[in-house]
Amino acid sequence: QVQLVESGGGLVQPGGSLRLSCAFSGSLFSLYIMGWYRQGPGKQRELVATITSRGTTKYADSVKGRFTISRDNAKKTAYLQMSSLKPEDTAVYYCYSRSVTGVDYWGQGTQVTVSS
């Protein structure tokens, strides 16, 4: 059984930065794909970024060049570093993981609000 616990959300100014963390409670963290989704007000949930066990990353076009996904296998933690934040980045951000057997897990979500 895997549990994901997110932290780091909050209120930030436009142009500012924020780092989200996702702590992974199970075993074999290094074998899981990790990712972040978000859902803004009145919008569908969208994939923001993913990182494989080997460190290969993918990003939504809307965040390329501004967001960086990373992982620390020793700490069993995934991160989303967000920079140059825009009001349209305001959303609930969800941590996501997928095992090698195709089982998906989700965090509880953390609110990110970008506003003056």
Side-chain angles (χ1 to χ4, degrees):
Q1 183 98 17
V2 169
Q3 287 185 300
L4 304 174
V5 180
E6 302 164 352
S7 62
L11 175 65
V12 295
Q13 305 296 314
S17 298
L18 195 66
R19 188 181 74 164
L20 306 182
S21 298
C22 176
F24 180 103
S25 68
S27 61
L28 303 177
F29 170 79
S30 63
L31 300 181
Y32 281 66
I33 295 172
M34 301 297 297
W36 293 89
Y37 284 74
R38 69 183 182 186
Q39 187 167 21
K43 299 179 181 179
Q44 295 182 328
R45 186 174 296 188
E46 64 175 341
L47 179 64
V48 176
T50 60
I51 183 167
T52 71
S53 61
R54 293 188 176 274
T56 301
T57 58
K58 293 184 178 180
Y59 298 92
D61 288 341
S62 59
V63 306
K64 285 180 180 177
R66 300 189 298 119
F67 290 12
T68 301
I69 187 170
S70 62
R71 64 195 298 159
D72 186 331
N73 288 340
K75 296 181 178 179
K76 298 199 294 184
T77 302
Y79 304 94
L80 185 68
Q81 178 66 50
M82 304 181 293
S83 300
S84 302
L85 283 162
K86 306 173 181 178
E88 49 263 46
D89 294 318
T90 295
V92 177
Y93 284 72
Y94 297 91
C95 183
Y96 161 84
S97 67
R98 174 172 285 186
S99 73
V100 295
T101 57
V103 180
D104 294 340
Y105 300 91
W106 293 87
Q108 79 285 356
T110 185
Q111 177 71 46
V112 173
T113 301
V114 184
S115 176
S116 298

